[in-house]
Amino acid sequence: MPASARRIGVFLCKCGGNISDFVDLEEVKKAVEKIDGVVAVEVDEHWCSSPAGKRIKEVIKEKNLDRVVIVACTLNMHQPHFMEVLQEAGLNPYLLERVNAREQCSWVHKDNPKEATQKVIDLVRGGIARARYLSELSPIVEKVNKNVVVVGGGVAGIIASLELAYGGHRVYLVEKSPTIGGRMAKFSKVFPSLDCASCILTPRMAEVESHKNITLLTYSEILEVSGSAGNFKVKILRKPRYVDAALCTGCRDCTTVCPVKVPNEWNMGMDKRTAIYIPFPEAVPRIATVDEANCLYLKYSKPGKPVCGKCVEVCKAKAINFEMKPEVVEVEAGAILLTIGSEVFDAKKVPQLGYGLYKNVITSMEFERMINSDGPTGGKVINPVTGETPKVVAFIQCVGSRDEKYNPYCCRIGCTASLKHAVLLKEYVSKDIDVYICYNDMRTVGKGFEEFYRRVRDLGVKFIRGLPSEVKQKPDGSLTFNVFDTTTETLYEVNADLVVLAIGLTPTPDIEKMAKLLKLSRGHDGFLLEAHEKLRPVETLTEGIFVAGSCLGPMDIHDATSEAMAAASKIMGFLAAGEIVKEPIVAKVNEDLCSGCRVCVSVCPFDAIKMEDRGEGKFVAKVEEVLCKGCGLCAASCPTAAITTQHFTDEQIRAQVRGILVGV
């Protein structure tokens, strides 16, 4: 049938006023009805609703439509629903054309309704012209591997791994540090219930280690990911611990004899650890790790002349092995979940608040370690200058957050974290300690958080609505700052023994590498972007890659675990059918035109094109459909026009452009 003989139906959506408040859809309808081949034009409040879908099916049958144009919101919304409607009406779902009248017209031209209406008419004309040349296509079906790789062993990674493992999936949990646990493992208590963080977390950590369906790969990093959704191949670098995990008993005898002392990152550098170490007593796995950058044996030994080696001498299990080398392992998985977390803001970037200049200006994370019984002070809160319990402690909020100079976004945890610290000071250290909290706004959103805030107020904590511009040290070593309270319009001078900076969260340094490796998008704040913040919050636009936790943005433990469970559930649903159905929007090669120049191979970002040897020196391009994303780079680059992208052929695009330009 020639393209001019198509029977096309156009469905104009009001989108609850999102479109119809700024676009005259009756005017659009009048213009569209005049176009040859258009046999039905209808307007509805929400074509995405179930009754409206039923109406579309009725019109398809009544008017014997062979092409459908939906004029509504972005293509990202409701596309599967509309395709299903066509299929149920007996039409191939790829005979559907979408025109975006919301994001591209009504929203961006709401101050010019007349121009917005004309733009919709132009785009619909282009859509109808393209629809005439659409072809029937069949989806690509492939079996999936049900294994899952989880990257990041913080609380989100732990919870997601357990959910997946109990769901029957083989899980490879990859963590770059020597132990899982993440930042939560450093906390003393969690708000608002003040539960012991370790009591909550460490049993789940142990569960991960012992679960038969979980392979725990600590001190490991993702090197390379190939394949596609449903069938990924993941190369993982296992860094040498120089300790045999199968032999090490975690007795820590080696750590007691090591002569090297370096800043202990687990305690935020407030004390020292040895060059062979176990991060903390409840570490999982509880295996010693040799810090090769500081180990005397690894740095200075020469053949026949070992240096140090005291750890080897005391290790009864003979577990230390300085001959260990990096190892690369490859695993196969159907889905990958990123839970790589976030980083805390570097308070040294705000030097006027004294961090790095005065010892008694510390960060909220350092306070966490100080008040933890496993921390550098054994749980005692002290003034680092005097070594005594402070009498006055001041918390300064929003350091590195809600500040255009650093990060404009809210850290979402700073207010409640400082409230928790204030309670711990008053109830666990001394009720006589004067506590000040200087804040922008006290944001306590969450179940039980507002009640927690009131509890802190009742303890006599003083709240000042304002932030100091500078912290100074007095001759006696104590600290002082002026702060203007915008509630009472009063300037206060606060003198404190200890100042705690409530630092926010920033993207982890690993996020750039992982985003590049997995071809993920990042937001303007640097965190990873979900596929849709409301409807697909744990998916990404790269099929088969899921995300959860604070790599998406600042969040507390409750939200991180909720997302982890949501992601695990989503992955199990994704893998449940045992096969994956992919869009047939992929590149196709006309072998008669292919010159074998390999330009397509060089531009393909997904390694989806290989060259096939046809003998006698002739090579032709071959597209692996399961890898192809239909980006069109190869088609645009092919010098002989041998490649086309299905559903976006040159013929379809030219028709669309001509249709749009008819009125020019």
Side-chain angles (χ1 to χ4, degrees):
M1 181 185 292
S4 58
R6 303 297 184 202
R7 295 180 62 81
I8 303 170
V10 180
F11 299 88
L12 305 170
C13 186
K14 294 182 179 179
C15 197
N18 275 292
I19 295 173
S20 57
D21 285 352
F22 310 103
V23 173
D24 186 343
L25 290 180
E26 287 303 317
E27 191 72 21
V28 177
K29 184 180 178 185
K30 287 178 187 174
V32 172
E33 285 174 335
K34 298 174 184 174
I35 299 174
D36 289 342
V38 175
V39 296
V41 184
E42 294 201 9
V43 180
D44 194 88
E45 195 71 27
H46 292 290
W47 281 116
C48 56
S49 68
S50 179
K54 186 178 177 184
R55 177 58 189 159
I56 293 174
K57 285 184 271 189
E58 289 172 354
V59 176
I60 289 173
K61 292 177 180 175
E62 288 170 5
K63 300 291 183 179
N64 194 25
L65 302 181
D66 57 13
R67 298 291 185 278
V68 170
V69 178
I70 303 286
V71 184
C73 53
T74 175
L75 195 67
N76 289 334
M77 298 280 286
H78 314 306
Q79 181 74 353
H81 166 70
F82 288 127
M83 293 176 73
E84 191 177 333
V85 167
L86 262 67
Q87 196 158 24
E88 290 174 356
L91 272 184
N92 185 285
Y94 294 94
L95 301 180
L96 167 70
E97 172 66 7
R98 294 282 302 276
V99 173
N100 185 348
R102 191 178 72 177
E103 282 82 355
Q104 294 181 0
C105 300
S106 63
W107 280 3
V108 290
H109 301 298
K110 61 183 179 182
D111 295 331
N112 298 293
K114 189 175 178 182
E115 286 79 1
T117 300
Q118 185 56 51
K119 187 174 179 181
V120 172
I121 293 172
D122 292 343
L123 293 180
V124 173
R125 220 170 32 230
I128 292 170
R130 179 171 182 268
R132 297 183 199 279
Y133 293 92
L134 293 177
S135 303
E136 293 188 356
L137 298 172
S138 298
I140 301 165
V141 180
E142 186 187 12
K143 289 188 176 179
V144 301
N145 185 312
K146 294 201 172 185
N147 297 341
V148 182
V149 171
V150 178
V151 187
V155 63
I158 290 170
I159 296 299
S161 296
L162 288 171
E163 292 291 314
L164 289 162
Y166 282 118
H169 294 270
R170 162 61 55 190
V171 177
Y172 298 95
L173 175 54
V174 183
E175 166 58 42
K176 70 175 183 179
S177 62
T179 176
I180 58 173
R183 192 156 44 243
M184 183 179 172
K186 297 182 179 182
F187 293 166
S188 56
K189 300 183 185 301
V190 291
F191 55 71
S193 56
L194 297 188
D195 288 293
C196 163
S198 292
C199 301
I200 298 172
L201 184 64
T202 52
R204 307 311 305 269
M205 292 165 60
E207 214 173 326
V208 165
E209 188 178 34
S210 61
H211 201 293
K212 65 178 183 179
N213 283 349
I214 298 179
T215 301
L216 184 55
L217 301 169
T218 52
Y219 214 44
S220 303
E221 296 180 14
I222 303 295
L223 269 187
E224 185 181 317
V225 177
S226 59
S228 61
N231 289 286
F232 291 111
K233 290 183 178 178
V234 184
K235 287 185 178 177
I236 302 165
L237 172 67
R238 304 208 68 185
K239 296 177 285 187
R241 286 178 182 267
Y242 302 104
V243 175
D244 190 328
L247 298 177
C248 180
T249 61
C251 67
R252 304 181 85 167
D253 285 351
C254 52
T255 66
T256 61
V257 297
C258 179
V260 178
K261 304 292 181 187
V262 296
N264 184 357
E265 59 275 2
W266 189 258
N267 285 330
M268 312 306 291
M270 290 190 290
D271 63 356
K272 305 283 187 183
R273 65 161 170 80
T274 50
I276 185 167
Y277 66 103
I278 295 176
F280 63 106
E282 297 81 18
V284 171
R286 189 181 162 91
I287 299 170
T289 301
V290 176
D291 174 0
E292 62 181 7
N294 292 293
C295 172
L296 299 179
Y297 185 96
L298 291 172
K299 285 179 72 176
Y300 302 113
S301 290
K302 294 179 181 177
K305 294 182 179 179
V307 175
C308 191
K310 291 184 178 179
C311 52
V312 179
E313 296 171 7
V314 299
C315 181
K316 300 181 184 71
K318 308 296 182 188
I320 297 170
N321 177 8
F322 287 118
E323 300 304 316
M324 271 189 174
K325 303 294 181 189
E327 180 188 2
V328 177
V329 297
E330 182 174 292
V331 301
E332 296 182 351
I336 298 173
L337 171 60
L338 281 187
T339 57
I340 55 177
S342 55
E343 188 56 81
V344 293
F345 178 76
D346 181 3
K348 288 181 180 175
K349 293 180 178 178
V350 195
Q352 60 270 29
L353 296 182
Y355 183 72
L357 297 175
Y358 313 130
K359 287 185 178 179
N360 42 349
V361 177
I362 64 174
T363 68
S364 45
M365 273 307 299
E366 289 170 342
F367 186 89
E368 280 286 352
R369 294 308 300 153
M370 190 184 281
I371 206 165
N372 193 309
S373 57
D374 290 333
T377 59
K380 294 181 180 177
V381 176
I382 60 169
N383 176 345
V385 174
T386 63
E388 299 175 352
T389 303
K391 295 178 181 176
V392 183
V393 179
F395 292 87
I396 298 175
Q397 301 301 109
C398 298
V399 177
S401 303
R402 301 182 65 198
D403 187 330
E404 291 294 335
K405 190 174 180 181
Y406 306 106
N407 299 302
Y409 53 82
C410 173
C411 77
R412 296 185 60 194
I413 56 169
C415 291
T416 35
S418 291
L419 292 176
K420 178 186 75 173
H421 295 157
V423 170
L424 296 179
L425 279 171
K426 284 284 192 181
E427 294 187 349
Y428 291 84
V429 181
S430 170
K431 64 179 181 180
D432 296 326
I433 295 177
D434 282 336
V435 179
Y436 293 86
I437 296 181
C438 302
Y439 66 100
N440 264 321
D441 298 294
M442 191 50 61
R443 296 182 171 181
T444 54
V445 180
K447 187 177 181 180
F449 287 14
E450 187 62 22
E451 293 83 349
F452 189 62
Y453 169 47
R454 291 177 186 170
R455 173 183 169 186
V456 178
R457 284 194 311 188
D458 293 341
L459 289 173
V461 172
K462 301 174 181 67
F463 290 87
I464 300 176
R465 192 172 187 273
L467 298 176
S469 58
E470 185 178 10
V471 175
K472 297 179 180 177
Q473 193 173 54
K474 296 166 74 171
D476 64 355
S478 63
L479 302 164
T480 183
F481 59 82
N482 293 324
V483 56
F484 184 75
D485 189 327
T486 57
T487 302
T488 61
E489 296 190 343
T490 304
L491 180 65
Y492 291 101
E493 178 182 341
V494 176
N495 297 299
D497 305 310
L498 183 67
V499 167
V500 182
L501 306 181
I503 50 176
L505 299 178
T506 62
T508 170
D510 294 334
I511 207 166
E512 184 175 357
K513 171 190 164 189
M514 294 307 301
K516 188 175 180 181
L517 200 62
L518 298 172
K519 300 176 176 61
L520 303 179
S521 301
R522 297 170 66 188
H524 58 83
D525 53 11
F527 291 98
L528 294 176
L529 271 183
E530 58 281 268
H532 191 284
E533 61 182 345
K534 295 181 180 65
L535 302 180
R536 299 171 65 192
V538 295
E539 298 172 75
T540 71
L541 292 177
T542 303
E543 194 174 21
I545 309 294
F546 299 80
V547 285
S550 62
C551 57
L552 284 167
M555 65 181 67
D556 62 15
I557 294 168
H558 174 273
D559 287 355
T561 54
S562 298
E563 285 207 342
M565 290 181 178
S569 174
K570 197 70 187 174
I571 291 170
M572 285 191 271
F574 175 70
L575 300 175
E579 61 182 24
I580 184 172
V581 179
K582 294 189 174 185
E583 293 278 0
I585 303 172
V586 296
K588 287 286 183 183
V589 179
N590 183 335
E591 296 186 4
D592 294 334
L593 297 178
C594 180
S595 64
C597 67
R598 301 172 190 265
V599 170
C600 53
V601 176
S602 65
V603 300
C604 180
F606 305 103
D607 295 327
I609 304 179
K610 309 294 181 191
M611 299 306 294
E612 272 193 359
D613 187 352
R614 294 300 172 87
E616 299 180 353
K618 179 175 173 58
F619 288 84
V620 296
K622 174 80 174 177
V623 178
E624 293 190 32
E625 293 185 341
V626 294
L627 299 180
C628 180
K629 305 295 182 186
C631 69
L633 271 177
C634 54
S637 305
C638 180
T640 59
I643 304 180
T644 55
T645 305
Q646 291 193 143
H647 206 57
F648 289 96
T649 64
D650 291 350
E651 187 179 45
Q652 293 165 354
I653 294 171
R654 287 194 192 104
Q656 186 173 22
V657 173
R658 280 197 300 270
I660 292 172
L661 296 178
V662 161
V664 177

